[in-house]
Amino acid sequence: MSDLQIGLAILGAFVIAGVALFNWWQERKFRRSAQQDFPRPQHDVLLGTGAADTGRSHDTEARIEPQLDPLSAVGASGPAPSPPPRPLAPAAQPDAAIDHVAELHADQPISAAEISLFAAALSQALGRPILAGYNPHAKTWEPFAGVERGFASLRAGLQLADRNGPATREQLRAFHALVRQHAERMAADVQVPDVEEGMRRAQELHRFFEEVDVVVGINIIAHSGQVFHGTQVRALAEAQGMRLQPGGAFASYGENEAPLFTLENQEPRPFKPEDIRHITTSAVTFLLDVPRTRDGLKVFDRMVVLSRQFAESLDGLLADDNRQLLNESGLDKIRARLRTIYAAMEARGIPAGSASAMRLFA
């Protein structure tokens, strides 16, 4: 091999190495840019892995999608941050079905000011206080919510589970400590369940929670190449008495303003009132929050009727999230699953749509 050929070979090797180095540098630069623009989530939703549990860390809504194949509820997608719990309604009071309940009994009525201090301590340490006082004249327990009179007997409750997960041993111990501390201040005898018993019930209630915390969805999809206009969706929804919420979903209500189901944009952009005139979408979804809905089978049938009316008016198709067409057989499978869920809730003493269910599944 001549000196010229050797020189050309060496030069070629340097060129190839330079190209490889340049490509590596470009790829590294691209990855850095991608990581800045699209930060990696803390856990992989599909793999179901997540950060370590820190007390109540579970936040999930199982969703029954209308399917043509056998029906099954989608399980939890792993721990995720959850919004702060909604405040309790004034009528909320301890319920043995979902709460760890302590009772306090004094010889004389405990003043409203002292009870308010107790409620504030519970609220600061554990979130929402759940207190009730016994009315000896009416022979009933009454929620303590700004009541100005005192009570000789009190019930205090710590909710054992919610959409963040089961109560922890630390929370139960803190509850016990606060109850005993304030019982001493109020010169009251106290009866409070064992911490370990509370832990057992919390875990059991959480397992039940996961079994029945289901959302049913029915999708209306546009034909290929077509879209639905936000103004069309709004006109149809309002004609059926649905009201557009600030968050961008239409809501249907029953008697006494009880929530029934919602209608939402399946695409990421919600139907915000100020944007809806400019929104187009390829699909909308009716959603039924099963455990929070009283007479759920009737409400589901109403939702099916409305879904078909929307599909006809929008020239769309009823389908599941896999774009599989929905038929009566698939709807019957959902009805069967709903019957099972509602029967389980009744047997547990937490009927769907009841005050306890609304608090448990808040």
Side-chain angles (χ1 to χ4, degrees):
M1 180 179 291
S2 68
D3 291 342
L4 177 61
Q5 290 174 319
I6 293 173
L8 290 174
I10 294 173
L11 180 61
F14 275 111
V15 170
I16 293 172
V19 170
L21 182 61
F22 178 77
N23 287 341
W24 172 84
W25 178 80
Q26 287 283 79
E27 181 179 357
R28 188 166 177 265
K29 180 180 178 182
F30 172 77
R31 284 179 178 174
R32 282 182 176 177
S33 176
Q35 288 172 354
Q36 292 173 355
D37 293 338
F38 305 99
R40 186 175 181 178
Q42 294 297 316
H43 64 278
D44 190 326
V45 174
L46 295 178
L47 295 179
T49 58
D53 187 8
T54 56
R56 297 188 178 190
S57 62
H58 180 78
D59 180 25
T60 177
E61 282 186 293
R63 175 169 165 176
I64 299 181
E65 292 299 344
Q67 302 279 346
L68 297 183
D69 46 342
L71 179 71
S72 63
V74 180
S77 60
S82 60
R86 283 174 277 186
L88 293 177
Q93 58 179 301
D95 182 343
I98 64 173
D99 296 319
H100 192 65
V101 182
E103 290 199 9
L104 298 85
H105 302 281
D107 293 334
Q108 299 295 327
I110 304 165
S111 70
E114 194 69 39
I115 299 173
S116 295
L117 288 175
F118 183 29
L122 287 173
S123 179
Q124 183 175 4
L126 299 167
R128 302 165 297 183
I130 308 170
L131 282 173
Y134 184 72
N135 184 334
H137 303 292
K139 294 182 169 47
T140 58
W141 290 91
E142 299 178 356
F144 181 82
V147 178
E148 295 183 357
R149 68 177 182 278
F151 295 94
S153 296
L154 296 174
R155 279 179 178 168
L158 171 67
Q159 191 168 314
L160 288 169
D162 59 22
R163 277 180 166 150
N164 294 320
T168 65
R169 183 174 281 103
E170 290 73 20
Q171 289 170 324
L172 288 165
R173 286 174 175 167
F175 175 74
H176 279 226
L178 280 171
V179 167
R180 294 187 187 282
Q181 175 188 342
H182 282 267
E184 186 175 350
R185 282 175 53 99
M186 296 182 287
D189 296 328
V190 61
Q191 297 175 344
V192 60
D194 180 69
V195 168
E196 295 306 315
E197 172 64 14
M199 281 294 297
R200 183 193 66 77
R201 291 186 59 230
Q203 295 291 340
E204 183 182 88
L205 183 62
H206 181 56
R207 286 192 294 271
F208 167 76
F209 183 103
E210 290 187 313
E211 291 173 2
V212 302
D213 187 23
V214 170
V215 175
V216 172
I218 298 178
N219 303 305
I220 302 168
I221 61 173
H223 292 278
S224 179
Q226 297 182 1
V227 294
F228 304 141
H229 293 272
T231 50
Q232 291 177 293
V233 175
R234 182 171 192 166
L236 289 170
E238 291 182 346
Q240 296 297 330
M242 303 185 76
R243 301 197 296 268
L244 182 57
Q245 307 302 299
F250 292 92
S252 178
Y253 297 90
E255 296 180 2
N256 301 320
E257 291 294 289
L260 301 180
F261 50 82
T262 59
L263 173 66
E264 303 177 9
N265 189 356
Q266 195 184 78
E267 296 180 3
R269 190 177 181 185
F271 291 126
K272 290 292 187 70
E274 62 271 18
D275 298 333
I276 196 165
R277 288 188 300 172
H278 310 292
I279 293 177
T280 59
T281 181
S282 62
V284 295
T285 304
F286 282 91
L287 293 173
L288 170 65
D289 194 340
V290 175
R292 290 175 58 87
T293 307
R294 194 184 301 271
D295 294 325
L297 284 167
K298 292 181 181 179
V299 175
F300 175 71
D301 287 338
R302 166 64 179 156
M303 192 172 79
V304 170
V305 170
L306 209 58
S307 299
R308 286 171 169 160
Q309 292 176 355
F310 269 65
E312 182 177 353
S313 298
L314 295 171
D315 190 25
L317 302 168
L318 293 188
D320 62 23
D321 275 354
N322 296 317
R323 300 269 168 168
Q324 299 296 312
L325 297 184
L326 177 63
N327 59 16
E328 196 60 40
S329 175
L331 294 172
D332 284 341
K333 290 174 182 176
I334 296 174
R335 291 185 182 97
R337 175 65 172 142
L338 291 178
R339 290 188 189 95
T340 300
I341 291 173
Y342 287 130
M345 294 188 71
E346 289 284 347
R348 186 85 189 190
I350 312 172
S354 65
S356 296
M358 298 299 278
R359 178 151 64 87
L360 180 61
F361 296 93

Tab-separated table of all heavy atoms in Angstrom, residues 22 80 95 97 135 186 219 265 281 306 317 345:
chain	number	residue	atom	x	y	z
A	22	PHE	N	-19.914	14.088	16.140
A	22	PHE	CA	-20.906	15.139	15.907
A	22	PHE	C	-22.321	14.613	16.140
A	22	PHE	O	-23.154	15.273	16.774
A	22	PHE	CB	-20.764	15.676	14.482
A	22	PHE	CG	-21.775	16.725	14.138
A	22	PHE	CD1	-21.639	18.038	14.593
A	22	PHE	CD2	-22.896	16.403	13.370
A	22	PHE	CE1	-22.575	19.007	14.284
A	22	PHE	CE2	-23.836	17.377	13.061
A	22	PHE	CZ	-23.673	18.670	13.514
A	80	ALA	N	-50.661	8.798	42.816
A	80	ALA	CA	-50.572	10.075	42.123
A	80	ALA	C	-51.030	11.163	43.061
A	80	ALA	O	-51.838	10.925	43.953
A	80	ALA	CB	-51.449	10.065	40.865
A	95	ASP	N	-70.033	8.354	61.136
A	95	ASP	CA	-70.782	7.200	60.652
A	95	ASP	C	-69.895	5.974	60.855
A	95	ASP	O	-68.789	5.892	60.305
A	95	ASP	CB	-71.111	7.381	59.169
A	95	ASP	CG	-71.936	6.245	58.594
A	95	ASP	OD1	-72.005	5.171	59.220
A	95	ASP	OD2	-72.504	6.418	57.500
A	97	ALA	N	-69.923	3.211	59.618
A	97	ALA	CA	-69.612	2.460	58.396
A	97	ALA	C	-68.315	2.918	57.759
A	97	ALA	O	-67.643	2.141	57.083
A	97	ALA	CB	-70.760	2.573	57.396
A	135	ASN	N	-78.622	15.249	71.321
A	135	ASN	CA	-79.730	16.083	71.782
A	135	ASN	C	-80.675	15.197	72.599
A	135	ASN	O	-81.409	14.382	72.031
A	135	ASN	CB	-80.466	16.688	70.587
A	135	ASN	CG	-81.562	17.648	71.000
A	135	ASN	OD1	-82.126	17.541	72.094
A	135	ASN	ND2	-81.889	18.585	70.122
A	186	MET	N	-62.284	18.616	79.022
A	186	MET	CA	-63.727	18.788	79.148
A	186	MET	C	-64.311	17.947	80.276
A	186	MET	O	-65.527	17.852	80.421
A	186	MET	CB	-64.400	18.433	77.812
A	186	MET	CG	-63.991	19.361	76.677
A	186	MET	SD	-64.806	19.017	75.071
A	186	MET	CE	-63.984	17.517	74.552
A	219	ASN	N	-68.812	6.983	24.860
A	219	ASN	CA	-68.223	7.946	23.933
A	219	ASN	C	-69.058	8.102	22.672
A	219	ASN	O	-69.650	7.139	22.181
A	219	ASN	CB	-66.817	7.501	23.540
A	219	ASN	CG	-65.920	7.326	24.750
A	219	ASN	OD1	-65.776	8.238	25.543
A	219	ASN	ND2	-65.341	6.153	24.900
A	265	ASN	N	-65.448	16.925	26.858
A	265	ASN	CA	-64.658	16.785	25.638
A	265	ASN	C	-63.660	15.668	25.855
A	265	ASN	O	-62.894	15.688	26.821
A	265	ASN	CB	-63.934	18.107	25.334
A	265	ASN	CG	-63.274	18.089	23.961
A	265	ASN	OD1	-63.274	17.089	23.253
A	265	ASN	ND2	-62.694	19.222	23.585
A	281	THR	N	-64.011	19.053	18.109
A	281	THR	CA	-63.496	17.820	18.707
A	281	THR	C	-63.954	16.617	17.898
A	281	THR	O	-64.995	16.660	17.228
A	281	THR	CB	-63.970	17.687	20.163
A	281	THR	OG1	-63.438	16.486	20.728
A	281	THR	CG2	-65.491	17.646	20.275
A	306	LEU	N	-79.734	9.576	26.141
A	306	LEU	CA	-79.186	10.875	25.756
A	306	LEU	C	-77.996	10.704	24.811
A	306	LEU	O	-77.832	11.472	23.852
A	306	LEU	CB	-78.769	11.641	27.009
A	306	LEU	CG	-78.827	13.168	26.915
A	306	LEU	CD1	-80.226	13.640	26.550
A	306	LEU	CD2	-78.400	13.790	28.245
A	317	LEU	N	-71.058	8.217	16.289
A	317	LEU	CA	-71.198	6.799	16.591
A	317	LEU	C	-70.947	6.568	18.076
A	317	LEU	O	-70.059	7.182	18.668
A	317	LEU	CB	-70.189	5.973	15.783
A	317	LEU	CG	-70.265	6.105	14.253
A	317	LEU	CD1	-69.029	5.473	13.621
A	317	LEU	CD2	-71.525	5.434	13.735
A	345	MET	N	-72.641	-2.175	47.734
A	345	MET	CA	-72.701	-0.949	48.535
A	345	MET	C	-73.849	-1.011	49.533
A	345	MET	O	-73.708	-0.580	50.684
A	345	MET	CB	-72.821	0.263	47.618
A	345	MET	CG	-71.593	0.501	46.749
A	345	MET	SD	-71.657	2.066	45.833
A	345	MET	CE	-71.422	3.262	47.174
